[in-house]
Each structure stands twice: as structure tokens, then as C-alpha cells.
Amino acid sequence: MLTPLYDVPDALLNGRTVDDLEAVARRVKGDAALCARIVAAWAAGRTAYERSPHPERRTHDGFPGPDDELRRDDFHEAGWAEAVRIVEHFDDDRLRTFGLRLIYLGNRAVLPEVLAAEAERALTDRLLGDESGGLTLTAALAETDRLLPLVGRAAIASF
């Protein structure tokens, strides 16, 4: 469990003080061989996943860098035109994709033609037949055809 020591209830400290635990942490940090074994044990137990082409499925691929964290905060405070400039400077492709989608859906008129085409192409590719997951147009139509007899066409027509 990772948490600041000042948040740990006394019952979980097993009679140790914060000073005791910090001393242990310093010893572990100072022992390069032990650190290497800990990292190796963690890596050995980790399930390897194939990298998804979709940013929604890569949320656990790591954290954005500090520069992107600042840009992300600025993005959420910015107007549309400024948000476009910020999106173009994200280092993390996930943030770039998410930001571009938000702008495309919120006010696509502010996007330069190249970025608008990039967003349109990505959304169209996902809708028309991406086999790596998500609901495609073909799958949505098939599911609609499957469900129509169950709910009755009259109910759909009156909707």
C-alpha cells in the first residue's frame, strides 16, 4: 500500500514509529541490489498486455510528464482557440488525442483544417470497422436488427 505515513492509522504501524519506517525506507533505497530484486519481482508478476491503438485502453501505460500535466491544466482553463494551441504541444499522444476530440466535439470550427481532418479520420476509422474493440457502425446495426423483434417495431416507430 502506498500512502503518506501521516495518513496511516496507528493500528497498521504495528507499534513502529514514522521515524522507524523512514529509516527502513532509507536502507532499502540505499541498497541497489535489493531495489533491483524488488523491481525484478514486480516485473515478473506483471501481466504483459499488447499496446492498444486506442488511448482509452492505454490509461495505465504511464503518467504524463510534468510539462504535459501543466499543459493539461492550462487546456481545461483555456478558450477554444488557446486549447488548440495547447493540444498541438502535448508530448503524450493520449492527451493530444483526448484534447483534439474534445475540441472537435465542442467547437470544430476553431480547428485548423489538418487537425479537423485528423480528428474526423480517427473517429470515422473507429466507427467503420476497427476490429480492436469498441462499438462499430456494423456492430450497432446488427445489434439493432437483433433487438427490434424483441421490442416490437411499433414501439420504435412511436418513439
Side-chain angles (χ1 to χ4, degrees):
M1 175 173 72
L2 296 176
T3 187
L5 286 175
Y6 55 79
D7 283 342
V8 177
D10 289 338
L12 292 179
L13 293 176
N14 291 329
R16 291 183 150 180
T17 67
V18 170
D19 290 338
D20 294 338
L21 294 173
E22 287 178 345
V24 170
R26 281 191 294 280
R27 285 196 307 272
V28 169
K29 186 177 178 183
D31 187 336
L34 176 59
C35 289
R37 289 195 320 267
I38 291 170
V39 170
W42 172 81
R46 185 174 174 188
T47 303
Y49 295 99
E50 190 172 320
R51 182 177 162 96
S52 173
H54 305 299
E56 303 89 349
R57 294 193 175 176
R58 288 190 279 123
T59 56
H60 298 290
D61 283 4
F63 296 100
D67 291 341
D68 273 352
E69 286 181 4
L70 293 172
R71 287 183 196 110
R72 182 193 58 210
D73 294 342
D74 291 344
F75 175 88
H76 288 293
E77 298 295 323
W80 291 115
E82 179 65 11
V84 172
R85 187 193 64 72
I86 293 168
V87 160
E88 293 179 300
H89 291 93
F90 277 130
D91 295 324
D92 189 309
D93 68 317
R94 297 169 299 178
L95 295 179
R96 187 179 194 293
T97 300
F98 294 143
L100 185 57
R101 282 184 194 167
L102 287 171
I103 297 167
Y104 179 82
L105 295 170
N107 187 358
R108 71 186 74 177
V110 300
L111 286 171
E113 193 173 316
V114 172
L115 289 179
E118 180 183 327
E120 186 77 34
R121 186 173 39 261
L123 291 169
T124 301
D125 289 349
R126 292 285 299 270
L127 182 64
L128 292 180
D130 180 17
E131 298 301 323
S132 64
L135 185 63
T136 64
L137 180 60
T138 303
L141 290 172
E143 184 67 1
T144 301
D145 287 342
R146 184 185 76 77
L147 292 174
L148 274 176
L150 300 176
V151 296
R153 294 189 188 277
I156 298 297
S158 66
F159 180 68

